[in-house]
Amino acid sequence: MEEYSNKQSTENLDDPPNSRLFVVTSRSITEDELRESFAGFGDIQGVWVVKDKQTKESKGIAYIKFAKSSQACLAMEEMHGKVVMEGTKPIKVFIAQSRSSTRHRDVEDEELTRIFVMIPKTFSEEDLKNTFKEYGEIEYCVIIKNKFTGESKGLGYVRYYKPSQAAVAIENCDKTYRAILAEPRNKASVSEDYNSGAGGGGGGGVGGGPRGDYGGGPDAMNQYAFNMGDPGNYQVMDYRSTDFTRFLMVSTRAALSQEQIFSLFDIIPGMEYCELQRDAYGMSKGHALIRYSNLGSAVYAKEKLNGFEYPPGNKLVVNFVDDGEDRSSPVGRMAMQFVATQMMSSVWNGPSSSQGLKPMQPLQQGYSGMSPMSRIQTDVSLPPPKKLAPPDSKAKERLFVVFSPSPLPPDVLEDVFCRFGSLIEVHLVPGRKVGYMKYADKQCADDAMAALHGHVVNGVKMKVMLADPPREESHKRPRTY
DNA sequence: CGACGGGACGC
DNA sequence: CGACGGGACGC
């Protein structure tokens, strides 16, 4: 029919967003006159003057749809306040509210001049400005940084002076910047923390163990109120050579796996041996035998874990295997304090400083290829850790990993999956029991898959497969623009 | 079964 | 003040 139809199909009104003008005119202005006045600013897709149902007279309101937001913005900037026809009042021009919006306030320039972009973490604010100044004069740039470390979060804001400049930037800048209009800063946006992934969802799950959710655990870690005066005395004493027993027996009414007990007693450094006692049918008898490399660790473990509820409601009973010796003797006390000191220093200085206990842990039994200090417990014979490939390496292969019953922490995964070489990064899918491992070398990825598929790490069984290729980049913009 | 695509400002 | 019409393809 009418080739220059004024109709605007409903679904196009907000496509792209902010491409439609709301114009307040004199009632005598016609659609044709408006079209003529606005034609120079871009591709007009529709002009509509709102008229009274009965009288068919203009209500002095019109909508003009452009193909692009930048065209609409430019037209707004240029035409607002202009007299379209001799003897009539100047028109007012705004970006129209989206049809779904319930708001009745004009869209202000404030909401149209600031863009939100994703940038390399190495970008300075100067870099940001230099990148985006080609679309228009910039009022200011800011990069969102970690408040404490000052490091960039890879996100930034750019404020222009005119809506058309922001719109042109969004339309024309490199797609990798993911530029969108910034939301006004007043309203609280979504929380930035997605770290809830490793949570205890397993609730008594096989693999979890107490590690990581130490909050409700024994008071071992926050109680260092022992006397630390003159620690030198403890070090001259070679309590490792004592004949005091270092065997503990833990009894539990609830069914705990060997992995769970291992994780629990491995909190105290120096554990050498942990074995769940089983009957002739392989069923747990509710007892496990634990040996530490030194008396202090054993005393400390009994002190802290005897009576500890794990899982909550199940009180553990921890005893020395033979009860002949007096372990509250000064020697036992001092030995325990030495261990506590080591643990505290490892808390303060990080795991690397815990090397001090290494010589005390010469052997393992039942857990191949790992030291008792390691966080890794697995049925795989793991090669030693290898360096990661540089983060900007090109991914030649990706592995898709499914965890059961629950995902392993990322640092553990990195430790395990790096050992075949060329690992770039570990990516866990939040809220799911799956993840991706990026490798810079195909052979390394294949080796990791061959070695790890179907195996168990820290009580978590893994399926390790080649990942499907990533989805093609969708050309739809999910949000504004 | 078990799939990735992101995002927010000390007012 | 100044905020949302007309009309109806074809799977």
Side-chain angles (χ1 to χ4, degrees), chain A residues 203-321:
Chain A
V206 180
R211 214 175 296 282
D213 51 324
Y214 213 82
D219 58 353
M221 286 309 196
N222 55 24
Q223 201 180 52
Y224 291 112
F226 53 84
N227 177 10
M228 287 191 42
D230 196 11
N233 281 350
Y234 304 141
Q235 297 183 5
V236 296
M237 181 189 63
D238 188 6
Y239 51 80
R240 280 171 281 175
S241 64
T242 69
D243 287 324
F244 290 156
T245 177
R246 298 151 297 152
F247 281 92
L248 295 178
M249 180 69 77
V250 57
S251 304
T252 166
R253 294 180 61 81
L256 295 183
S257 68
Q258 175 153 317
E259 287 77 12
Q260 289 172 306
I261 294 173
F262 181 100
S263 302
L264 194 56
F265 282 82
D266 190 35
I267 290 170
I268 290 92
M271 189 179 71
E272 287 181 333
Y273 182 72
C274 170
E275 183 182 307
L276 191 61
Q277 311 288 105
R278 297 172 191 278
D279 63 18
Y281 306 98
M283 300 299 291
S284 168
K285 294 192 288 191
H287 300 285
L289 188 63
I290 294 110
R291 187 180 75 228
Y292 285 93
S293 62
N294 65 88
L295 176 62
S297 292
V299 173
Y300 194 87
K302 177 182 184 299
E303 192 93 349
K304 294 305 178 187
L305 293 175
N306 185 33
F308 176 50
E309 292 194 16
Y310 182 77
N314 179 57
K315 198 166 277 190
L316 301 180
V317 178
V318 182
N319 279 302
F320 284 90
V321 171

Side-chain angles (χ1 to χ4, degrees), chain A residues 78-133:
Chain A
E78 297 297 319
M79 293 300 290
H80 184 75
K82 289 279 161 60
V83 174
V84 167
M85 193 178 57
E86 299 276 345
T88 63
K89 288 204 297 190
I91 62 172
K92 293 188 258 186
V93 185
F94 307 90
I95 292 293
Q97 292 287 355
S98 80
R99 209 58 192 287
S100 55
S101 167
T102 59
R103 196 168 53 154
H104 275 266
R105 211 182 67 227
D106 293 338
V107 177
E108 296 167 74
D109 285 4
E110 179 85 1
E111 306 166 55
L112 299 168
T113 49
R114 194 176 64 142
I115 67 172
F116 182 51
V117 294
M118 303 180 84
I119 49 178
K121 292 214 172 37
T122 54
F123 255 40
S124 68
E125 270 150 13
E126 201 55 34
D127 295 330
L128 182 57
K129 187 167 192 171
N130 287 333
T131 303
F132 283 90
K133 69 182 180 193

Side-chain angles (χ1 to χ4, degrees), chain A residues 389-398 422-425 438-442 470:
Chain A
D392 56 344
S393 308
K394 172 107 173 150
K396 288 281 177 52
E397 190 80 272
R398 288 189 321 153
S422 90
L423 179 69
I424 303 169
E425 68 169 358
K438 269 169 66 174
Y439 285 90
D441 179 85
K442 189 169 170 8

Side-chain angles (χ1 to χ4, degrees), chain A residues 157 183 185-192:
Chain A
Y157 294 99
E183 296 288 339
R185 68 181 176 198
N186 53 354
K187 58 181 154 196
S189 60
V190 211
S191 160
E192 56 182 306

